[in-house]
Amino acid sequence: MRRAALRLCTLSKGLLAPSRGLTQGSQNPEKQRVFHIHEACSPIHVNHVRDKLREIVGASTNWRDHVKAMEERKLLHSFLATSQKGLPPRRMKDSYIEVLLPLGSQPELREKYLTVQNTVRFGRILEDLDSLGVLICYMHNKIHSAKMSPLSIVTALVDRIDMCKKCLSPEQDIKFSGHVSWVGKTSMEVKMHMFQLHDNEFSPVLDATFVMVARDSENKGPAFVNPLTLESPEEEELFRQGELNKGTRVTFSSMSLLKMAPTAEERTTIHEMFLNTLDPKTISFRSRVLPPNAVWMENSKLKSLDICHPQERNIFNRIFGGFLMRRAYELGWATACNFGGSRPFIVTVDDIMFQKPVEVGSLLFLSSQVCFTQGNYIQVRVHSEVASLQDKEHMTTNVFHFTFMSEKEVPLVFPRTYGESMLYLDGQRHFSSMSAPVTLKKDYLIKP
């Protein structure tokens, strides 16, 4: 249904060669747009990518000034295009950026990224990918005549993050790269890749595909983005893949179990699971018992609550999407760890839709549960809701899907209700999209 999850990272040599593709002429440091993720003087809170984003949109670093900063952005409406035809086309290499995370050369950065097992926190990597994706899109839509961008670019979807079987050491530098690979009228697909230094060479660690949307200067309505011109067969293939990804998302959404009944095969699966839990002593539909090495789905839940403080805001004074992903991932990891009884390893992040923005001051409720298992694999679903301090009504903002691998075989998970059965089937669908099984190796150390 979707592309294989744990393939080798797909950044081809053709796109890296100086004479072809994205980085033509990129041996010139000025053209590489290399930013350090953090400033050495304050590695915890300040980073060059986030600083660059604040500069582009005119965001204030002080919370007390955020209202004034947003009022000033209203004056940028005149720079917005009335149609896409009025915008100059851009090349893929116009948005190409490399970002360095110097964990090896600047050891003072490590603590923020360090796990107790002396590996790199994947939740922090999610935050960096989210910031990088936004910056890439601003580079694609850069207006040279304007000091600030009239666009408000936000993350709409994390389509896919696929891991490679590489160790993430907290003592070696990490490099991110990325560029716009597809554009619609108001949306853009961004391809990002992550590498880590190993034997004096950067080796692939992950591939990521994000979808970003452009909105007007007040973040109230859609805005047009620059079209994309293609300069090589490799770029044409990337653009074609972006079109296919869009079609796959539409198909996947139309087949959602919230809209359509399960298939005949899926109904059979659920009925067989139901029959396997009937108590043979009573022969009653109400008497349910678990088969050996199985757990009821309702017993696999973990929950958390966060107060969304101004510290976690993005450049538009909503809660930073990377923060939401990190908190959801860490809860999902804990759920998989608690369920499987051993340390889990992230395999795939899949289909994270940002449905509603989270306002500063909101209460963030995260609910995580195992919804499907097979062999050593654990499929975890994390549901995100928010409520204001004044209003007790909960609204769904995100649903996160994570595929983990355990060091040992895990129990089967069984649904007890019809609603849980739909969660099981949804988890099975997401797991089935990862069509390439993985053999866990000792150097596969992607942890929270």
Side-chain angles (χ1 to χ4, degrees):
M1 177 171 28
R2 305 179 77 174
R3 57 200 177 282
L6 261 123
R7 65 203 187 284
L8 290 177
C9 287
T10 57
L11 191 60
S12 69
K13 294 181 180 178
L15 293 178
L16 287 172
S19 61
R20 300 168 62 190
L22 304 181
T23 58
Q24 184 173 349
S26 65
Q27 300 305 313
N28 183 343
E30 291 298 318
K31 295 185 178 181
Q32 279 188 304
R33 299 194 187 100
V34 179
F35 301 101
H36 284 274
I37 287 186
H38 297 281
E39 288 187 353
C41 61
S42 183
I44 301 293
H45 303 292
V46 181
N47 60 71
H48 283 213
V49 173
R50 297 287 292 274
D51 286 347
K52 184 68 175 178
L53 289 172
R54 291 190 188 98
E55 178 185 331
I56 290 172
V57 302
S60 173
T61 56
N62 296 317
W63 170 246
R64 64 178 181 270
D65 298 330
H66 74 281
V67 174
K68 178 182 177 183
M70 289 298 104
E71 284 293 321
E72 291 176 352
R73 285 191 57 79
K74 292 181 180 180
L75 304 175
L76 299 174
H77 267 282
S78 61
F79 289 97
L80 292 171
T82 56
S83 72
Q84 193 177 43
K85 293 180 180 179
L87 293 170
R90 297 288 162 78
R91 303 166 296 179
M92 287 191 185
K93 61 187 176 185
D94 290 333
S95 62
Y96 180 80
I97 297 175
E98 290 185 357
V99 174
L100 296 178
L101 173 56
L103 296 178
S105 53
Q106 295 183 18
E108 64 272 16
L109 298 180
R110 291 177 193 162
E111 186 167 323
K112 181 179 178 180
Y113 288 83
L114 189 65
T115 73
V116 70
Q117 295 82 23
N118 199 39
T119 59
V120 174
R121 294 175 62 182
F122 184 67
R124 292 297 187 191
I125 299 301
L126 291 175
E127 291 182 325
D128 292 335
L129 287 172
D130 193 44
S131 294
L132 175 59
V134 175
L135 181 58
I136 286 170
C137 290
Y138 274 117
M139 293 298 101
H140 174 81
N141 294 280
K142 187 174 182 179
I143 300 176
H144 297 283
S145 60
K147 182 179 179 181
M148 295 189 298
S149 174
L151 298 179
S152 302
I153 296 176
V154 295
T155 305
L157 172 72
V158 178
D159 185 58
R160 193 84 172 188
I161 301 176
D162 293 327
M163 306 305 304
C164 299
K165 292 182 290 184
K166 295 289 182 181
C167 173
L168 278 185
S169 167
E171 299 176 357
Q172 298 294 331
D173 287 358
I174 286 173
K175 180 175 72 174
F176 299 90
S177 67
H179 61 90
V180 171
S181 57
W182 174 90
V183 298
K185 290 185 177 181
T186 62
S187 60
M188 296 156 283
E189 181 187 89
V190 176
K191 294 284 189 186
M192 291 176 284
H193 310 275
M194 177 174 152
F195 308 85
Q196 183 157 48
L197 195 63
H198 182 71
D199 292 335
N200 295 321
E201 291 185 358
F202 280 102
S203 301
V205 174
L206 66 78
D207 286 341
T209 303
F210 282 42
V211 177
M212 325 298 284
V213 294
R215 299 177 64 78
D216 62 29
S217 55
E218 297 180 77
N219 199 9
K220 292 182 177 180
F224 294 105
V225 300
N226 292 70
L228 190 63
T229 183
L230 309 176
E231 297 185 313
S232 69
E234 290 88 356
E235 294 184 4
E236 291 174 0
E237 174 59 26
L238 283 174
F239 192 88
R240 187 188 70 84
Q241 185 62 55
E243 288 284 356
L244 292 176
N245 292 343
K246 179 183 177 181
T248 301
R249 289 191 292 268
V250 172
T251 301
F252 202 75
S253 176
S254 65
M255 296 174 60
S256 168
L257 292 166
L258 294 172
K259 301 176 182 178
M260 301 283 291
T263 65
E265 182 180 359
E266 289 173 333
R267 291 196 298 268
T268 299
T269 296
I270 293 302
H271 188 66
E272 289 177 349
M273 295 183 75
F274 173 73
L275 294 178
N276 287 335
T277 62
L278 292 180
D279 190 345
K281 297 179 182 179
T282 61
I283 315 178
S284 168
F285 287 146
R286 293 186 177 183
S287 182
R288 308 280 296 278
V289 294
L290 278 171
N293 193 34
V295 177
W296 290 119
M297 186 183 292
E298 64 186 11
N299 295 329
S300 70
K301 293 182 179 180
L302 288 180
K303 296 185 178 182
S304 70
L305 168 64
D306 283 285
I307 302 173
C308 298
H309 294 291
Q311 181 185 10
E312 306 301 342
R313 72 190 185 279
N314 63 15
I315 53 179
F316 302 113
N317 295 301
R318 264 68 179 267
I319 294 301
F320 175 42
F323 168 77
L324 301 176
M325 286 194 284
R326 175 170 65 84
R327 297 297 293 141
Y329 167 78
E330 291 175 349
L331 181 63
W333 182 91
T335 302
C337 183
N338 186 59
F339 182 88
S342 65
R343 186 166 303 280
F345 303 86
I346 185 66
V347 175
T348 302
V349 181
D350 178 36
D351 196 26
I352 300 175
M353 179 74 75
F354 289 82
Q355 300 177 20
K356 292 180 181 296
V358 177
E359 302 292 340
V360 173
S362 300
L363 298 178
L364 175 66
F365 298 87
L366 296 177
S367 178
S368 175
Q369 69 183 117
V370 176
C371 54
F372 179 81
T373 61
Q374 180 176 301
N376 290 31
Y377 291 101
I378 306 171
Q379 188 70 35
V380 177
R381 180 181 189 270
V382 182
H383 184 258
S384 169
E385 293 181 339
V386 295
S388 68
L389 295 176
Q390 296 78 25
D391 189 353
K392 295 182 179 180
E393 181 182 2
H394 288 214
M395 294 187 299
T396 298
T397 60
N398 305 80
V399 177
F400 304 84
H401 302 276
F402 303 105
T403 305
F404 293 95
M405 177 183 285
S406 179
E407 293 176 318
K408 60 184 181 180
E409 189 165 331
V410 299
L412 297 173
V413 63
F414 273 77
R416 191 192 289 267
T417 66
Y418 185 80
E420 289 180 347
S421 297
M422 295 303 100
L423 289 178
Y424 180 91
L425 293 178
D426 187 58
Q428 185 182 52
R429 288 181 179 184
H430 283 280
F431 178 79
S432 296
S433 70
M434 186 198 69
S435 58
V438 180
T439 300
L440 188 64
K441 296 183 179 181
K442 289 184 179 180
D443 66 343
Y444 190 75
L445 298 174
I446 313 295
K447 299 180 182 179

